[in-house]
Amino acid sequence: MSLRVLDPGALALVEDLGRPGWAALGVSPSGALDRAALRLGNRLLGNDEGSAGVELLLGGFAARFETETWFALTGADGPAELDGQPVDTHRAVRAPAGAVLRVGRPGRGMRSYLAVRGGIAALPVLGSRSRDVLSGLGPEPLRADDVLLLGDPGAPVPPVDFVPVSAPTLGAVELRAHHGPRADWFTDAAVEAFHDAEWTVSAESNRVGVRLDPPAAGRHAAPLLERRVTAELPSEPMGAGSVQVSPDGRPTVLLADHPVTGGYPVIAVVAEASLDLLAQARPGQTVTFRRA
């Protein structure tokens, strides 16, 4: 049972729920950025929630099913076709042998997830089939003509006709954030500004982190997030959701492929339940932080 990639699009990666527990060796957890989307795709097919799927960046992906199987598309909201016929997202779809799936550019969101019955049977590294773009661990980014082997189907495909899922927003993304371990390195005004401002997702963002630009009025003024303590910070442990602030006053929210240590102070930590929202945030969208 296999799937042949015809066109990987901008970036297609094999991802499962990651490899937590290896930070002492310098290995980040990695895994799908929108974990809820991957879990839903697997549940729709009767897979284990942690089965590996394919994370697609802004569509453009095409693949041929070499054998009859079932698949589900979740995450970003956009068009998809199976042998030229439209297919719905967030539902299990049967694909005959030889059928070609094409995933178009989403109208909302950034990342789609292709789950296939049995999961992608890539070679695990440190217990995970996830690609880590920072360290280079895990399966290589997919290329045209790559063949992905599929695992053995487990439970039958559940008889679910419709799953109500909200499409990713095109408006402001509201995140819940806890007080950071180095919030006291910033002035009281900076901490208030961090929560009050509408930040903008930068095009410099990726799976390592989402870089944020300050409100337009403050881009050419003094840094909005002014530090009280200006001493150099020794490198310390970092986790997904940590909001580091670079010397220019711009915050970066670390994501799944983050480095396990960092030397910029962490003003806040995004609540785990909010991180999936950042997986779908596009450059130019606004982000606000509310106190968790």
Side-chain angles (χ1 to χ4, degrees):
M1 298 177 64
S2 62
L3 178 75
R4 182 177 296 273
V5 177
L6 304 178
D7 187 343
L11 181 65
L13 304 173
V14 175
E15 298 288 346
D16 54 23
L17 294 181
R19 51 177 69 85
W22 296 97
L25 297 182
V27 179
S28 62
S30 194
L33 289 193
D34 190 340
R35 296 159 298 175
L38 179 63
R39 287 188 174 110
L40 174 59
N42 281 322
R43 290 201 304 269
L44 287 168
L45 300 173
N47 292 344
D48 180 87
E49 283 192 347
S51 296
V54 182
E55 183 179 274
L56 313 175
L57 180 65
L58 291 174
F61 178 84
R64 182 173 64 244
F65 295 96
E66 304 288 36
T67 51
E68 179 182 335
T69 189
W70 291 76
F71 71 91
L73 287 168
T74 57
D77 184 32
E81 295 181 344
L82 186 67
D83 281 347
Q85 298 300 310
V87 294
D88 294 329
T89 55
H90 306 115
R91 65 176 298 178
V93 180
R94 187 184 70 83
V100 173
L101 172 68
R102 298 187 184 277
V103 181
R105 182 180 176 87
R108 293 169 177 260
M110 285 279 286
R111 293 173 175 87
S112 303
Y113 291 84
L114 170 62
V116 185
R117 192 175 183 214
I120 305 298
L123 183 67
V125 178
L126 296 180
S128 171
R129 295 181 167 90
S130 289
R131 176 65 177 182
D132 182 335
V133 300
L134 184 63
S135 68
L137 287 178
E140 291 290 327
L142 300 182
R143 298 170 296 181
D145 215 36
D146 280 351
V147 175
L148 299 176
L149 299 180
L150 308 182
D152 294 330
V157 175
V160 178
D161 292 329
F162 174 73
V163 177
V165 177
S166 298
T169 182
L170 291 174
V173 178
E174 184 175 294
L175 306 174
R176 298 289 174 178
H178 300 277
H179 208 58
R182 297 295 176 181
D184 58 350
W185 279 45
F186 297 86
T187 64
D188 293 342
V191 174
E192 290 300 314
F194 172 77
H195 290 285
D196 292 342
E198 288 191 346
W199 303 91
T200 303
V201 176
S202 167
E204 299 173 35
S205 305
N206 54 28
R207 283 183 48 87
V208 176
V210 172
R211 192 160 170 77
L212 300 173
D213 290 325
R219 287 181 185 172
H220 303 295
L224 188 63
L225 302 182
E226 184 180 2
R227 283 172 57 168
R228 185 198 312 271
V229 179
T230 58
E232 185 174 346
L233 177 68
S235 291
E236 55 188 4
M238 292 291 151
S242 297
V243 185
Q244 289 188 312
V245 180
S246 53
D248 61 2
R250 294 170 67 193
T252 297
V253 184
L254 298 183
L255 298 182
D257 291 353
H258 66 84
V260 298
T261 61
Y264 293 148
V266 174
I267 191 171
V269 179
V270 174
E272 186 175 0
S274 289
L275 283 178
D276 288 352
L277 299 177
L278 280 177
Q280 304 297 354
R282 292 187 169 195
Q285 279 188 260
T286 56
V287 170
T288 58
F289 295 94
R290 300 293 179 246
R291 289 176 173 83

